[in-house]
Amino acid sequence: MDTTNHSTPFHLPSPHPSPLLPSPLLLTLLFFLPLLPLLSSLLEKHRFSLFTRTSKCFPVRAASNPFPLPWSLNRKYEVYRASIRGDLFEGHFARKYTKYGKTHAIVSPLTGLQKGINTIEPENIRCVLATKFGDYKRPEFRSLAAQPMLLPGLFTTDGPVWAHWRGMVRPQFTRRRFDQNVADSERHMQLLFSALEGRMERLERGAWTGEVDLMDHMYRLTMDTATQFLFGSSAETQTAALVRAGVLAGDEGTYQEAHLDGFDETFIRAGGYVGHRMKLSNMYWVYDGLEFRRVCKDLYRMVDGYVSFVRRKGKEERGGVEVAEKPETVIEEMEAQGASQKDMVEQTMHLLVAGMDTSAAALGWVFAMLGANPDKYAMLREEVIKVFGTEERRSETEFSLESVKSCEYLQWCLRETLRLFPAGPINVREAVRDTILPVGGGRDGLSPVAVRKGARVQLGTYLTHRSKEIWGDDANEFRPERWQGRRIGWEWTPFSGGPQICVGQGYTMTQVSFVIARIAMRFDKIEPAKGSNNEKRSWMTVLTPGDGVKVRMHVAL
């Protein structure tokens, strides 16, 4: 019998199988996938080049980047290092503008695609902030970098959110309320004098105070007056400090629980983090930590207690009525519009930072300048006395918006200080569409410049304010007389400009002018403390004196 197996033989798999080859399509995808971002950038560069030509714009010089690193780490490190050294503006930024021109571009080192435009031209500043305001927005990283100290609100958002909160706050800033706040501030000035002189009964005429750091007192003063103005109830931080120091008795009728006592010191710690996060741009998240989160939590705890106190006090004054029929304060306006406690706390934080930080910095710089220029202080004091009298002999002229504006030399001193030390030394906007700046292109720098959608335009306010072409060879000097007969234009923007101009500009100018005048009425000399450096710059949330303002003051005879 034939036993042969005629079925197909079974073969064991080879111990060395042939490799499976990828398909040509897969190979093509694997090759080109890493190149897609580069290809996309090159196509975008070509599209933007067409826009540049059709818009009749001219090339703008680009700042070189000899050692490019991913995510522009080298540029971020340069800014951070210069900031720590205190050499950010006169050094780092000034060198860039001197080398590459008053308007220059930041481009990708790989593709040459425009990433940003830096400019100090007043015409370009006006374009971004006013004439083409709708072509720009605040960069998203600014809002994210400020969190959790500042949650989305008036000073970190655009569009409907910004418009909503601005519309709610703006009715508070009226001439009548400015004048009322000046009158309410006299009590706070008396407390300031007690703090400066270290005793409630005050120093005798002709005596010198000890060495004091004015910034400590200016933070408390501006906090107390701003809360009085905005919320109808002062935070009383100066009172609390005087009680702790034993200058003011704790059972005085003026003393109450200060919910915001210590806010300034906690804010400065949190603001230090935010300042560094801002300088890191879209890599803000690198600079973080549990300490930052803790101090932000402490800030909100204080503000929540203060808002609750103001709401409870308002309800008691209304006889138990929940909502005021005619809102007189920001809190009452927010209550009338149905804002939650959480919303009120978050927006109050924005207002406290603006009301305290910018005004305190302005006052610090004013007295740093006046202390370093005694002849200017003497001229200022002479004018103030002519209008308002001295501490001992007051004139019949009351303090008001109009009366402080009538002190011409006082206004010159304030404008000159804000020129040299603007609260916001740099302003950044991001283009929401392809657009055009009026100057900066071509060999002469006078032709239009195209701005790519998504590019950031950095407005160098600090250096515009110190341009010798605009202000003369003495642009870096404190000379209030330069304002005689000078009209304010886009070369001076300490409060920004256009639709998003600082809503509190009138309040700040009036309040700071009042404080300067009152101090000039009481003290006839201000001298820098020995070894002090009152002009050191520190830029965190705003530009402030980095080592404080350490002086001694002479009570007028």
Side-chain angles (χ1 to χ4, degrees):
M1 184 174 65
D2 185 4
T3 59
T4 303
N5 187 350
H6 297 285
S7 63
T8 304
F10 178 76
H11 298 285
L12 292 173
S14 170
H16 303 290
S18 300
L20 292 174
L21 294 176
S23 69
L25 177 60
L26 181 59
L27 283 173
T28 303
L29 287 175
L30 289 174
F31 178 78
F32 281 105
L33 195 60
L35 299 177
L36 287 179
L38 176 60
L39 181 61
S40 175
S41 294
L42 291 173
L43 290 173
E44 171 64 9
K45 183 181 178 182
H46 176 69
R47 184 202 63 77
F48 181 61
S49 296
L50 289 176
F51 171 79
T52 301
R53 288 197 298 271
T54 56
S55 301
K56 298 181 180 180
C57 293
F58 285 75
V60 60
R61 189 174 182 185
S64 65
N65 191 3
F67 304 106
L69 293 174
W71 307 295
S72 300
L73 287 175
N74 56 320
R75 293 188 187 277
K76 292 178 174 64
Y77 177 70
E78 285 177 0
V79 170
Y80 178 78
R81 184 178 62 176
S83 178
I84 295 298
R85 288 199 313 255
D87 188 37
L88 184 59
F89 300 104
E90 280 81 3
H92 176 75
F93 285 127
R95 286 192 295 268
K96 294 286 186 183
Y97 282 105
T98 299
K99 185 174 183 179
Y100 300 112
K102 292 183 290 184
T103 298
H104 57 265
I106 305 297
V107 302
S108 167
L110 184 61
T111 65
L113 183 65
Q114 184 191 96
K115 297 170 66 177
I117 296 286
N118 294 346
T119 184
I120 56 174
E121 293 278 9
E123 289 185 58
N124 288 341
I125 293 174
R126 177 175 60 180
C127 176
V128 173
L129 298 181
T131 56
K132 290 193 175 181
F133 170 77
D135 287 355
Y136 298 91
K137 67 176 183 178
R138 287 185 171 120
E140 184 180 12
F141 82 85
R142 290 179 63 83
S143 177
L144 296 173
Q147 296 179 27
M149 190 182 84
L150 287 178
L151 297 171
L154 182 61
F155 298 111
T156 58
T157 58
D158 284 299
V161 175
W162 166 78
H164 170 75
W165 292 114
R166 185 180 175 91
M168 193 175 292
V169 169
R170 189 166 187 171
Q172 306 300 317
F173 294 89
T174 64
R175 177 171 300 189
R176 178 186 65 82
R177 299 202 74 242
F178 291 164
D179 291 347
Q180 181 60 50
N181 190 65
V182 166
D184 293 339
S185 295
E186 178 60 31
R187 182 174 69 86
H188 298 295
M189 288 304 304
Q190 296 300 327
L191 291 171
L192 173 66
F193 293 151
S194 297
L196 292 175
E197 299 174 32
R199 61 188 69 185
M200 199 61 196
E201 63 270 19
R202 310 290 168 74
L203 294 176
E204 297 179 356
R205 297 186 199 177
W208 285 91
T209 68
E211 293 184 356
V212 296
D213 185 347
L214 284 179
M215 289 307 297
D216 291 341
H217 303 291
M218 293 308 169
Y219 277 122
R220 297 189 190 106
L221 174 67
T222 55
M223 170 63 77
D224 292 346
T225 55
T227 48
Q228 181 84 50
F229 174 76
L230 291 166
F231 309 114
S233 182
S234 173
E236 298 294 345
T237 59
Q238 190 74 273
T239 303
L242 288 171
V243 169
R244 280 198 305 274
V247 175
L248 188 64
D251 57 356
E252 289 284 338
T254 56
Y255 179 71
Q256 63 180 8
E257 181 182 0
H259 294 280
L260 296 176
D261 186 24
F263 181 94
D264 55 335
E265 296 173 359
T266 308
F267 163 75
I268 289 171
R269 291 202 299 274
Y273 278 92
V274 170
H276 290 307
R277 284 160 66 89
M278 290 286 189
K279 295 180 185 74
L280 288 169
S281 185
N282 55 337
M283 290 188 66
Y284 64 89
W285 46 269
V286 171
Y287 202 90
D288 207 327
L290 294 176
E291 171 68 9
F292 175 46
R293 303 284 163 166
R294 185 186 66 78
V295 294
C296 290
K297 187 176 181 179
D298 289 344
L299 287 175
Y300 276 95
R301 175 183 53 77
M302 286 186 267
V303 176
D304 185 73
Y306 174 72
V307 171
S308 296
F309 164 75
V310 171
R311 296 184 70 185
R312 186 168 60 250
K313 181 181 177 183
K315 183 177 178 180
E316 291 172 358
E317 291 175 351
R318 294 190 297 269
V321 177
E322 290 287 343
V323 179
E325 184 177 347
K326 294 182 178 180
E328 289 289 330
T329 68
V330 173
I331 293 293
E332 289 181 351
E333 185 66 43
M334 287 193 279
E335 286 178 329
Q337 296 197 29
S340 65
Q341 172 80 3
K342 180 176 180 293
D343 286 338
M344 293 183 198
V345 170
E346 290 176 2
Q347 300 314 309
T348 295
M349 179 70 80
H350 281 256
L351 295 169
L352 288 176
V353 169
M356 175 192 73
D357 206 21
T358 54
S359 296
L363 285 165
W365 288 123
V366 164
F367 288 109
M369 291 295 96
L370 292 173
N373 295 272
D375 57 326
K376 309 299 184 188
Y377 184 66
M379 294 171 66
L380 165 70
R381 186 168 188 271
E382 182 181 357
E383 182 184 61
V384 167
I385 290 174
K386 283 181 181 178
V387 178
F388 299 109
T390 65
E391 182 75 4
E392 301 295 330
R393 287 186 164 185
R394 302 283 190 93
S395 74
E396 295 182 358
T397 303
E398 299 289 338
F399 280 101
S400 67
L401 172 64
E402 291 302 324
S403 62
V404 294
K405 284 176 66 176
S406 71
C407 281
E408 193 173 49
Y409 198 77
L410 188 157
Q411 297 305 310
W412 293 353
C413 287
L414 182 50
R415 289 180 191 173
E416 182 73 345
T417 301
L418 293 175
R419 180 185 71 83
L420 291 171
F421 306 102
I426 288 176
N427 206 338
V428 182
R429 292 292 185 269
E430 182 179 312
V432 299
R433 60 182 63 88
D434 291 340
T435 185
I436 299 171
L437 294 175
V439 296
R443 291 185 177 181
D444 58 4
L446 301 178
S447 300
V449 174
V451 181
R452 186 179 67 85
K453 177 183 178 181
R456 292 174 188 163
V457 178
Q458 178 178 285
L459 309 175
T461 307
Y462 183 95
L463 293 178
T464 304
H465 283 194
R466 289 171 176 252
S467 169
K468 291 183 179 181
E469 292 183 16
I470 297 172
W471 302 97
D473 290 338
D474 61 352
N476 289 312
E477 298 176 16
F478 180 76
R479 189 171 66 83
E481 293 79 8
R482 78 174 75 249
W483 287 93
Q484 184 173 11
R486 188 181 191 107
R487 297 183 64 181
I488 295 175
W490 286 93
E491 70 278 3
W492 187 79
T493 53
F495 297 100
S496 190
Q500 286 188 337
I501 192 171
C502 177
V503 69
Q505 175 180 353
Y507 165 81
T508 299
M509 293 295 285
T510 305
Q511 189 68 24
V512 171
S513 297
F514 168 73
V515 175
I516 296 169
R518 288 294 290 113
I519 287 179
M521 291 168 67
R522 179 156 184 82
F523 301 101
D524 59 4
K525 295 177 185 176
I526 300 176
E527 293 182 353
K530 291 182 180 179
S532 62
N533 180 12
N534 292 338
E535 295 184 37
K536 181 180 178 181
R537 285 88 160 144
S538 175
W539 180 38
M540 293 303 169
T541 48
V542 299
L543 188 65
T544 58
D547 282 341
V549 178
K550 299 177 178 67
V551 299
R552 66 178 195 141
M553 310 172 78
H554 185 263
V555 181
L557 292 170

